[in-house]
Amino acid sequence: MAWDFSTEPEFEKKLEWMREFVREEVFPLEVLETDEATFARIIRSLQDEVKKQGMWAAHLPPEHGGQAFGQVKLGLMHEIDGMSTLAPQIFGNQAPDSGNSEVLAMFGTPEQKERWLVPLLDGRIRSGFSMTEPMNAGSDPVNMSTTAVLEGDEWVINGHKWFTSNGLIADVLLVMAVTDPAAAPYERTSMFLVPTDTPGVHRLRNTPTMAGGHDQHGHGHSEIKYENVRIPRENIIGRPGEAFRISQLRLGPGRIHHCMRWLGQARRAFDMLCERSLQREAFGGPLAQKQTVQNWIADSAAEMHAARLMTLHAAWVIDQHGSTAARREIGLIKFYGAKVLHDVIDRAIQIHGSWGYSSDLPLEAMYRHARAARIYDGADEVHRQTVARHILRDYQRPDGWLPREHIPTRREEAQRKFARLLEEATANL
């Protein structure tokens, strides 16, 4: 089967513009010290420029203001905007808003789209995704305990969530809750739109993490309690019991986007690694002449290249056959890409020595954020298990107790197979 990751020259020009724009306009924002209002004005001015270039919210169809780019094109874009944590917001594809907008575009009613999707795409509101619970394993969400009970024309939600992305700044939350405890495990939950000003929505805090308690200007992962939260019956997304199907359609492409962003971040660390190897001298010459450093550079280049090809292939499978068909490929890139991100940043820190460990360079913050990559959107161990199960479906247990490649057994079979020819060869001697 042929794989084609190429894009037309016109799109390549857009990517080149994007690279320069991120480096020249977005990178400086990372170190700018200003108030939130001024920062927001700067962001809006950059967003306006992105819209003029036709690169805004490119993950959505044109009727919702997007470009209907496939996953390969989106992946190439995310590789660039992944170089800075601020770039996704400027290009209108920041998590969790991008995934939430896709959910609303695919499953929302016309009324839901008008009320929530339109202002979300305009940047007038923010959204959050509320699934993970502190008392249940996030990688096994069938054990979810938050409930939603239909009482008349209202759903009543009770539960305790945390690591709700953007929870403190969101205007609306997409909440997963159990609606039918007796149903099959993956048909028990439904997804709801919950405005954050609804009585009973208690936003407690941003959970302190290795990356800090709060990201810049209020972003972070929030702990939220839902106590008798009443929302209209029509605030359900899709049909009852569809939350897992909806979330998988949301998370599949989302993992592609994460992995390509990790490559952009890894590339930035790799550039720093290479530059420092040429700049720093020790033990009689530049570090670039030391074999260990050369190994770091070669290993990093190989690992990033492998991760990039794997991720683009997964994106291509989604474009050709849909996200369900790409489960194996998505699982592979999720755990492999997270490791590559960590290892490349770690090498870059090591070559910078005390500077790498300090906050005078972005590497220490990149390192802290990179550790989370092995946990969110499913722990690495779960993705490895999924991949292994998919692979094993293509194999059968050999008959008997001997391995299929057992050489003595194969030799006997070969003797029988070629017995006539062997006898003729012996007779001619």
Side-chain angles (χ1 to χ4, degrees), residues 19 44 244 361:
R19 290 186 189 95
R44 282 195 296 271
F244 276 104
L361 293 176

Side-chain angles (χ1 to χ4, degrees), residues 61-311:
E63 61 266 27
H64 297 303
Q67 306 301 316
F69 288 161
Q71 294 302 319
V72 170
K73 286 186 176 180
L74 287 173
L76 294 170
M77 286 183 62
H78 290 307
E79 183 179 21
I80 298 171
D81 70 31
M83 293 190 297
S84 172
T85 56
L86 296 176
Q89 181 180 355
I90 292 168
F91 282 83
N93 55 38
Q94 73 280 1
D97 291 335
S98 58
N100 291 343
S101 62
E102 285 183 299
V103 166
L104 286 169
M106 288 188 291
F107 297 98
T109 64
E111 294 76 19
Q112 290 172 345
K113 293 176 183 177
E114 181 64 28
R115 181 177 179 186
W116 301 114
L117 181 58
V118 173
L120 188 60
L121 294 178
D122 287 343
R124 291 184 278 121
I125 66 170
R126 297 299 303 271
S127 66
F129 190 72
S130 198
M131 180 183 77
T132 305
E133 299 177 346
M135 68 290 294
N136 295 304
S139 295
D140 187 17
V142 296
N143 292 324
M144 192 175 297
S145 58
T146 299
T147 61
V149 178
L150 188 61
E151 294 184 2
D153 288 331
E154 292 181 322
W155 291 99
V156 182
I157 300 176
N158 283 281
H160 186 185
K161 303 283 191 179
W162 76 337
F163 278 80
T164 292
S165 305
N166 282 354
L168 288 190
I169 63 171
D171 300 281
V172 63
L173 299 167
L174 274 67
V175 181
M176 286 181 62
V178 175
T179 49
D180 186 357
Y186 292 99
E187 297 175 359
R188 298 169 62 234
T189 60
S190 305
M191 191 175 294
F192 301 92
L193 287 158
V194 180
T196 54
D197 60 0
T198 305
V201 177
H202 303 297
R203 295 186 280 185
L204 305 181
R205 59 170 183 156
N206 265 358
T207 309
T209 68
M210 289 175 64
H214 296 71
D215 290 339
Q216 191 171 17
H217 301 304
H219 302 272
H221 304 286
S222 305
E223 184 174 3
I224 302 176
K225 283 191 175 180
Y226 301 88
E227 295 183 347
N228 295 317
V229 176
R230 291 182 174 271
I231 57 172
R233 184 173 190 160
E234 58 268 21
N235 276 31
I236 191 171
I237 300 175
R239 295 188 298 270
E242 279 197 311
F244 276 104
R245 185 173 78 89
I246 293 171
S247 62
Q248 284 304 309
L249 290 173
R250 176 189 187 275
L251 289 173
R255 288 171 179 141
I256 299 281
H257 305 167
H258 276 313
C259 290
M260 290 302 284
R261 284 181 181 140
W262 296 343
L263 286 169
Q265 191 84 166
R267 180 69 202 200
R268 190 172 178 183
F270 180 75
D271 290 344
M272 296 176 69
L273 165 64
C274 293
E275 290 170 359
R276 189 60 173 169
S277 74
L278 296 169
Q279 182 184 50
R280 188 66 158 181
E281 296 201 5
F283 305 106
L287 293 178
Q289 294 179 354
K290 316 305 180 188
Q291 186 178 36
T292 294
V293 174
Q294 292 173 350
N295 287 342
W296 290 349
I297 293 170
D299 290 347
S300 297
E303 292 162 6
M304 289 191 300
H305 188 58
R308 189 172 193 268
L309 291 177
M310 289 167 63
T311 306

Side-chain angles (χ1 to χ4, degrees), residues 286-339:
L287 293 178
Q289 294 179 354
K290 316 305 180 188
Q291 186 178 36
T292 294
V293 174
Q294 292 173 350
N295 287 342
W296 290 349
I297 293 170
D299 290 347
S300 297
E303 292 162 6
M304 289 191 300
H305 188 58
R308 189 172 193 268
L309 291 177
M310 289 167 63
T311 306
L312 287 174
H313 176 240
W316 179 85
V317 173
I318 292 179
D319 284 345
Q320 300 298 315
H321 306 290
S323 59
T324 302
R327 288 189 65 189
R328 181 190 302 186
E329 289 77 9
I330 291 170
L332 279 170
I333 63 170
K334 174 58 175 63
F335 71 79
Y336 185 76
K339 184 178 187 303

